[in-house]
């Protein structure tokens, strides 16, 4: 590690410390978030079912995970949505995910990797079960690292791929911790441990870090609240400097603390290419979010007509007269008309869009028209969502 470059980053961090922690930017949010997340999650793990889910909702409502975990992707909100499904069963399944993740691993990084892999695998099973077309609810190495980091920052390091890579380039750290969700913790933690060692050797940085508590009080006294939580809500005392290490890695990229380093890996061309990929990813995500909304409306429409088209439902046809549904097999409705000896088969989708059958329905005209529109496009809505999900997977690094 190039400690000369690292200490220049420290110097820039110190110089801009008040700016980074003013009400507009409030990077001290990380210290507050860790305190809040641990308190609410520790309480949640003592509960079950709906009470457990309510605690998770508190984390969301207080915006605790913020940009640390939920940003353009929504993995934590996804777990909350899953916990709300199917009564206590889904809530307890989400609770079990966190209980397994937070089990003490004794600092064994291989066991830690196994815990993370299990969380990713089992959470994906739940997502596919309850929200198969909501890719934004997918868990990643970043989100799982975030849960561990916020729950026990003294033990764990936060990980964000883009920020970590830029920091490593700036300090000439050449260890390879992999990419995607297959992170080699031993290598990544080695870099973070070296960073903490250098932090502890820098009295000016330690003194500056300590001042964040009085700085926070001063901003509150001046009534510049911004995003700074009220003083009665505590912030974590970062004895291990793991939060500070993450703050430096994060601020280095976000605020260009590396702007005057003697060694720079990121060229103008690199930044341009990154911005182009980010713009493409944001456009795709916006398109995907609209597709998700359409899919949700389609799902709502399907649930409605699933409840209508059941055996015994009275129907009428212009040609055959009155009848009733006697069976439903996937997308085929079997109808017995009073005037016909044989069953007449109707397609589930076309029955709605083609108005082949009249039946009693509780929908107002506007909702009925919306449902009819999405029924006409049901194939395209489903396939479009799958296509966009696959495209977004190629941009996960810039969306995290």
């Amino acid at each position: 590690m190039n400690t000369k470059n690292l200490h220049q980053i420290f110097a820039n961090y110190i110089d801009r410390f008040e700016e980074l922690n003013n009400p507009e930017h409030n990077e001290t949010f990380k210290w507050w978030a860790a305190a809040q997340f641990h308190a609410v999650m520790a309480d949640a793990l003592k509960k079950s079912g709906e009470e457990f889910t309510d605690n998770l909702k508190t984390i969301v409502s207080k915006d605790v995970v913020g940009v640390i975990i939920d940003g353009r992707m929504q993995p934590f909100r996804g777990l909350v949505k899953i916990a709300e499904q199917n009564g206590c069963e889904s809530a307890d399944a989400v609770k079990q995910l966190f209980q397994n993740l937070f089990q003490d691993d004794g600092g064994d990084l291989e066991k830690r990797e196994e815990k993370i892999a299990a969380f990713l695998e089992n959470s994906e099973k739940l997502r596919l079960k309850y929200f198969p077309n909501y890719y934004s609810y997918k868990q990643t190495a970043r989100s799982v690292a975030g849960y561990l980091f916020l729950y026990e920052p003294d033990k764990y390091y936060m990980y964000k791929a883009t920020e970590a890579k830029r920091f490593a380039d700036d300090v000439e750290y050449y260890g390879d911790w992999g990419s995607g969700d297959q992170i080699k913790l031993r290598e990544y933690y080695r870099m973070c441990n070296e960073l903490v060692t250098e932090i502890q050797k820098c009295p000016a940085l330690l003194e500056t870090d300590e001042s964040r508590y009085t700085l926070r009080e001063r901003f509150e006294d001046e009534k510049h609240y911004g995003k700074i939580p009220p003083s009665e809500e505590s912030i974590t005392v970062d004895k291990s400097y793991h939060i500070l290490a993450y703050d430096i890695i994060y601020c280095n990229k976000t605020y260009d603390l590396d702007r005057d380093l003697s060694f720079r890996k990121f060229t103008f061309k690199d930044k341009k290419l990154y911005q182009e990929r980010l713009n493409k990813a944001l456009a795709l995500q916006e398109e995907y979010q609209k597709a998700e909304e359409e899919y949700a409306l389609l799902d709502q429409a399907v649930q409605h007509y699933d409840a209508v088209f059941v055996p015994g439902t009275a129907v009428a046809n212009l040609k055959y007269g009155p009848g009733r549904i006697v069976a439903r097999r996937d997308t085929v409705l079997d109808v017995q008309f009073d005037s016909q000896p044989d069953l007449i088969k109707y397609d589930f989708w076309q029955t709605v869009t083609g108005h082949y059958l009249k039946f009693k329905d509780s929908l107002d005209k506007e909702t009925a028209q919306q449902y009819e529109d999405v029924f006409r496009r049901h194939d395209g809505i489903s396939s479009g969502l799958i296509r966009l999900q696959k495209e977004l997977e190629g941009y996960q690094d810039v969306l995290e």
Side-chain angles (χ1 to χ4, degrees):
M1 183 178 286
N2 185 326
T3 55
K4 180 181 178 182
N5 282 359
L6 177 59
H7 282 267
Q8 183 59 59
I9 292 172
F10 287 173
N12 293 340
Y13 179 87
I14 293 168
D15 287 344
R16 298 180 63 185
F17 184 77
E18 185 162 330
E19 173 197 349
L20 303 182
N21 294 284
N22 66 20
E24 180 183 354
H25 297 115
N26 185 29
E27 296 304 339
T28 296
F29 167 86
K30 304 176 184 72
W31 281 255
W32 173 82
Q36 296 301 307
F37 186 88
H38 179 87
V40 179
M41 183 60 77
D43 184 56
L45 294 175
K46 299 173 185 175
K47 300 174 180 178
S48 60
E50 206 171 301
E51 289 185 330
F52 168 79
T53 305
D54 287 342
N55 274 47
L56 298 192
K57 289 179 180 177
T58 298
I59 291 173
V60 173
S61 66
K62 295 180 74 172
D63 197 22
V64 172
V65 294
V67 296
I68 297 176
I69 296 172
D70 279 358
R72 299 183 184 103
M73 303 289 282
Q74 299 285 302
F76 187 79
R77 287 175 186 265
L79 290 175
V80 177
K81 291 292 185 183
I82 290 170
E84 291 177 319
Q85 306 301 307
N86 199 25
C88 292
E89 180 183 338
S90 56
D92 290 344
V94 173
K95 176 183 174 181
Q96 190 64 56
L97 286 177
F98 282 112
Q99 284 179 323
N100 293 342
L101 183 66
F102 296 148
Q103 278 185 353
D104 186 19
D105 53 36
D108 186 326
L109 296 185
E110 288 186 8
K111 288 182 179 179
R112 192 167 298 179
E113 287 176 353
E114 290 172 3
K115 287 196 307 182
I116 292 171
F119 189 98
L120 290 169
E121 179 183 354
N122 294 325
S123 63
E124 184 64 0
K125 288 178 182 177
L126 290 175
R127 184 186 76 85
L128 293 174
K129 179 179 179 180
Y130 293 108
F131 295 98
N133 292 294
Y134 283 63
Y135 179 69
S136 56
Y137 291 168
K138 183 180 176 66
Q139 302 301 312
T140 64
R142 165 189 168 175
S143 66
V144 183
Y147 305 141
L148 290 168
F149 169 74
L150 289 176
Y151 191 69
E152 291 188 276
D154 282 350
K155 291 184 178 180
Y156 303 101
Y157 286 112
M158 180 57 191
Y159 172 76
K160 282 189 179 181
T162 305
E163 285 84 346
K165 180 63 168 61
R166 176 154 166 177
F167 178 81
D169 286 340
D170 285 336
V171 299
E172 301 179 24
Y173 183 86
Y174 299 118
D176 179 14
W177 56 75
S179 60
D181 292 332
Q182 304 299 317
I183 303 302
K184 302 171 187 173
L185 292 184
R186 189 172 304 281
E187 197 59 53
Y188 179 67
Y189 273 47
R190 187 161 72 88
M191 181 184 78
C192 293
N193 287 336
E194 289 186 25
L195 169 57
V196 168
T197 297
E198 291 303 316
I199 287 172
Q200 293 170 326
K201 292 178 182 178
C202 184
L205 179 58
L206 297 178
E207 184 178 345
T208 300
D209 179 50
E210 182 67 24
S211 73
R212 80 175 62 253
Y213 303 98
T214 55
L215 181 68
R216 179 170 176 261
E217 291 169 2
R218 178 168 68 77
F219 280 133
E220 288 174 351
D221 289 342
E222 294 172 358
K223 301 189 183 302
H224 295 308
Y225 291 99
K227 296 183 293 180
I228 295 180
S231 58
E232 58 266 22
E233 295 190 341
S234 63
I235 63 177
T236 298
V237 177
D238 183 28
K239 297 177 181 178
S240 67
Y241 301 112
H242 285 196
I243 305 178
L244 179 57
Y246 168 55
D247 195 41
I248 290 169
I249 292 172
Y250 174 82
C251 291
N252 178 60
K253 176 183 180 296
T254 305
Y255 300 98
D256 290 322
L257 300 182
D258 54 4
R259 64 190 180 277
D260 50 4
L261 295 186
S262 59
F263 172 84
R264 288 297 304 276
K265 181 72 174 285
F266 275 69
T267 64
F268 175 77
K269 183 179 179 181
D270 291 330
K271 290 183 178 181
K272 183 180 178 183
L273 288 172
Y274 173 82
Q275 191 60 50
E276 287 174 354
R277 292 192 73 238
L278 178 59
N279 291 341
K280 173 65 175 177
L282 291 174
L284 273 174
Q285 188 172 54
E286 183 178 354
E287 189 179 353
Y288 181 79
Q289 287 170 345
K290 290 178 181 177
E292 272 190 333
E293 291 170 5
E294 281 212 314
Y295 185 86
L297 182 61
L298 175 62
D299 184 58
Q300 185 178 318
V302 168
Q303 289 184 43
H304 173 76
Y305 289 114
D306 276 345
V308 172
F309 297 151
V310 295
T313 298
V315 297
N317 175 267
L318 190 62
K319 179 179 179 181
Y320 300 122
R324 62 188 175 85
I325 296 173
V326 297
R328 161 97 185 264
R329 294 172 290 104
D330 293 329
T331 60
V332 177
L333 305 175
D334 290 335
V335 180
Q336 180 69 69
F337 291 101
D338 297 346
S339 63
Q340 299 296 310
D342 298 324
L343 295 175
I344 306 295
K345 301 182 186 303
Y346 288 88
D347 178 75
F348 174 73
W349 306 100
Q350 292 178 358
T351 297
V352 174
T353 59
H355 305 283
Y356 298 133
L357 296 174
K358 291 184 179 180
F359 49 88
K360 288 185 178 180
D361 200 350
S362 60
L363 294 177
D364 58 78
K365 287 185 178 180
E366 183 180 352
T367 305
Q369 186 61 55
Q370 286 180 329
Y371 285 1
E372 187 177 319
D373 289 344
V374 293
F375 258 49
R376 283 197 176 91
R377 296 179 287 109
H378 73 275
D379 280 337
I381 291 173
S382 298
S383 62
L385 202 59
I386 293 170
R387 173 185 61 80
L388 288 167
Q389 179 171 319
K390 288 181 179 177
E391 287 189 50
L392 273 171
E393 286 176 356
Y395 292 91
Q396 187 170 312
D397 60 321
V398 295
L399 284 173
E400 287 191 344

